[in-house]
Amino acid sequence: MKHPLIYSTLLVIAVSLLVGCTVGPNYRKPVVPVPNAYHGPNDNPQDHAQAQAASFADLPWWQVFQDSGLQDLIRRALKQNYDLQTATEKITQARAQLRVTRSDQFPHLTTNANAVDERSFQGFPFTTRYGTYAADATFQLDLFGELRRATESARAQLLATEYAQRTAILTLVSDVASDYFALLSLDLQLQITRDTIKTQEDAVKLTHYRLQHGVATKLDVLQAKQVLDTANAQLPELQRQIGLEEDALSILLGDYPQSVTRGFALVDQKFPPEVPAGLPSSLLARRPDISQAEQNLISANAQIGVAKAAFFPQISLTGSGGGAVGRSTVFSSIINSNIGTWSVGGQLTQPIFEAGKLRGNLHIAESQQRQSLIAYKQAIQGAFKDVSDALIAYQKYYEVRTAQQITVQDLSDSVSTSLKRYRGGIATYLEVLDNQRSLFSAQLTLAQDRGNEFQSLVQLYKALGGGWRQ
């Protein structure tokens, strides 16, 4: 037999594949009941029956957010964000860990060699040259599936890490879009404040002119300055908030704090023509955090098998082979040698008394599996809450914004009417002042409402699981 070590190793592998079994529970997907419809602002059974299978979360983010400036920011964030880079590196780590874990299922081979060239004189001169070589193989029979269960667990952890990266992408896209619309809302408020300052400066000049001609009073001039003073005080506060928002966006982009390039103004942004939520059953497949929780459950389930396999005997086989070759010169004689050896052995290890260690490890694994199951159910429950909250917010912010638009229009008409009454001597400037102050406040509120509406759209897109598909 020329290669006894190789033949014996192959024989061992074949036997282990034939007689090996896998202890521990096989994974079965939990049955988690889910609602037939989302809880939204309009709980109409007829609307639920007409729910559409398609969801606007199935659209890629560049079709949902059609502002070229926002698209550029999202692309930069996906390329440069450090949290996303870390999540990607964790995939590399998990893939390497799977390779390490899976390697235990195969024989491990090592080899070594050395050579000696010796010359000495002990009553007579002689030289010796020889070399030795050896190869060793170890293989653990996976008769009860401990190694296979460990590989199953590592593979599930790899998938969980990949879903965690997709969750990071979803979060990053929504965070960039949300901060962007918050920034546009602040820009709009800043523009309203600057327009108000310009208008009130003209009003103060006009009132002062009327005072000089005896048509107005000193009190009218002071009252005209009140709205101007309020707007001037609002200006630096808005600039502060804009600076902080730009800094936050810059960090999401992986940049140092700097100014952020805008696309369309907030009033020029377009809402999607339709925002269908889709069927609730589709949410489980679309949300990467739910898939991540399920992979964690699969991994924990496999660890029960690892813990159970520790109760059974572990059989390890070893094989070694090697030899020596060389020559020795004594006086005028030359002695040649060529020696070869090989051996095969086995080791059986059976736990007898572990003071409850093995059973404790099993209980730990079972508890961790139950915790993972709870986390999986919580992830599903949390996803439906996110969608419900976002649906309610999107609908109600729309209603708030449309109502506020009417308020702003009414106050604008009131300012025009009161100015005419004041100039005609019918009303005091206090009436004008009250209407101007109310209009300025209502315009700022409307700008905030516009921003809230777009941000609620972003949150709905995120809650439905959109944004991570590339």
Side-chain angles (χ1 to χ4, degrees):
M1 186 179 293
K2 296 182 179 179
H3 303 287
L5 179 60
I6 296 177
Y7 293 156
S8 59
T9 301
L10 293 176
L11 178 62
V12 165
I13 295 174
V15 171
S16 66
L17 291 176
L18 289 173
V19 303
C21 64
T22 304
V23 298
N26 293 322
Y27 175 74
R28 290 181 175 83
K29 189 179 183 70
V31 178
V32 181
V34 298
N36 295 324
Y38 297 113
H39 172 227
N42 300 315
D43 282 332
N44 188 331
Q46 185 176 0
D47 293 341
H48 294 169
Q50 297 175 352
Q52 299 180 20
S55 171
F56 95 116
D58 295 326
L59 298 174
W61 56 261
W62 55 87
Q63 292 184 16
V64 175
F65 309 122
Q66 298 187 17
D67 184 325
S68 58
L70 176 55
Q71 290 177 356
D72 180 64
L73 294 178
I74 292 176
R75 289 190 180 95
R76 288 170 57 190
L78 292 175
K79 182 179 180 181
Q80 301 174 179
N81 180 265
Y82 287 120
D83 289 338
L84 184 55
Q85 291 180 34
T86 300
T88 303
E89 281 302 318
K90 287 182 179 179
I91 294 177
T92 303
Q93 177 184 347
R95 187 174 291 115
Q97 183 60 54
L98 172 61
R99 189 177 297 112
V100 170
T101 304
R102 188 168 180 268
S103 68
D104 291 334
Q105 296 180 246
F106 300 92
H108 291 182
L109 303 175
T110 59
T111 183
N112 62 80
N114 60 74
V116 175
D117 185 349
E118 181 181 6
R119 298 174 182 176
S120 61
F121 182 85
Q122 296 180 359
F124 54 85
F126 68 90
T127 61
T128 302
R129 294 185 179 91
Y130 67 91
T132 62
Y133 55 92
D136 300 300
T138 59
F139 180 65
Q140 180 178 339
L141 293 180
D142 194 22
L143 298 179
F144 302 100
E146 177 183 6
L147 302 181
R148 280 168 284 165
R149 288 298 191 192
T151 299
E152 179 184 348
S153 176
R155 185 176 291 108
Q157 282 300 313
L158 170 60
L159 293 175
T161 306
E162 291 177 347
Y163 283 117
Q165 184 218 31
R166 295 172 183 178
T167 301
I169 292 174
L170 184 152
T171 302
L172 180 60
V173 169
S174 61
D175 285 351
V176 171
S178 182
D179 286 359
Y180 181 76
F181 287 122
L183 182 60
L184 294 186
S185 176
L186 291 170
D187 287 343
L188 181 56
Q189 295 176 58
L190 182 63
Q191 184 61 47
I192 292 170
T193 302
R194 285 172 172 166
D195 291 343
T196 300
I197 290 174
K198 185 178 183 303
T199 301
Q200 290 307 119
E201 285 177 343
D202 294 339
V204 170
K205 291 178 181 179
L206 178 60
T207 308
H208 188 72
Y209 177 79
R210 290 169 59 86
L211 173 63
Q212 291 176 341
H213 289 76
V215 182
T217 65
K218 180 68 174 178
L219 180 60
D220 292 340
V221 177
L222 294 176
Q223 289 176 337
K225 288 183 177 180
Q226 289 183 21
V227 177
L228 176 61
D229 294 340
T230 301
N232 280 324
Q234 186 75 17
L235 194 64
E237 172 60 21
L238 289 171
Q239 291 171 333
R240 180 190 70 83
Q241 294 181 35
I242 288 173
L244 295 180
E245 199 66 55
E246 286 184 322
D247 288 350
L249 257 175
S250 297
I251 296 302
L252 286 177
L253 302 180
D255 292 331
Y256 290 101
Q258 56 186 276
S259 60
V260 175
T261 303
R262 278 74 149 171
F264 299 126
L266 187 62
V267 293
D268 297 325
Q269 298 288 332
K270 296 181 179 179
F271 287 99
E274 288 186 77
V275 187
L279 296 177
S281 57
S282 301
L283 183 67
L284 305 186
R286 198 185 302 111
R287 288 269 299 225
D289 57 331
I290 295 178
S291 299
Q292 178 186 355
E294 183 180 9
Q295 292 301 323
N296 287 333
L297 175 59
I298 294 173
S299 176
N301 188 78
Q303 285 297 326
I304 295 178
V306 174
K308 284 187 174 181
F311 285 87
F312 297 91
Q314 294 184 357
I315 301 176
S316 298
L317 300 180
T318 60
S320 63
V325 59
R327 57 188 294 175
S328 177
T329 302
V330 182
F331 297 104
S332 59
S333 300
I334 298 177
I335 302 175
N336 291 314
S337 64
N338 190 345
I339 303 173
T341 62
W342 65 271
S343 65
V344 176
Q347 179 182 6
L348 184 148
T349 304
Q350 171 63 59
I352 296 178
F353 178 71
E354 296 283 350
K357 177 181 177 181
L358 297 180
R359 192 161 298 278
N361 286 336
L362 177 60
H363 290 166
I364 290 173
E366 291 173 338
S367 177
Q368 290 175 338
Q369 188 270 348
R370 291 192 293 270
Q371 293 176 49
S372 297
L373 177 60
I374 294 171
Y376 175 63
K377 294 179 179 180
Q378 281 184 318
I380 296 175
Q381 190 179 69
F384 278 89
K385 178 183 180 299
D386 291 343
V387 174
S388 176
D389 291 350
L391 284 170
I392 294 172
Y394 182 60
Q395 177 63 33
K396 296 309 174 182
Y397 275 129
Y398 165 77
E399 295 176 3
V400 168
R401 191 258 302 169
T402 53
Q404 190 64 20
Q405 281 181 317
I406 297 174
T407 300
V408 169
Q409 184 59 52
D410 291 343
L411 286 172
S412 179
D413 294 341
S414 297
V415 169
S416 298
T417 302
S418 60
L419 279 172
K420 292 178 181 178
R421 285 166 52 84
Y422 170 69
R423 291 166 184 168
I426 303 175
T428 64
Y429 199 82
L430 182 59
E431 180 182 317
V432 178
L433 175 65
D434 287 341
N435 288 323
Q436 287 176 332
R437 186 186 295 114
S438 298
L439 176 60
F440 178 51
S441 176
Q443 287 174 327
L444 293 179
T445 301
L446 177 57
Q448 294 172 359
D449 293 339
R450 289 183 184 275
N452 290 337
E453 187 178 5
F454 275 102
Q455 287 180 302
S456 67
L457 174 67
V458 173
Q459 293 307 310
L460 178 58
Y461 186 59
K462 175 185 177 183
L464 290 170
W468 61 266
R469 292 177 174 84
Q470 300 299 301

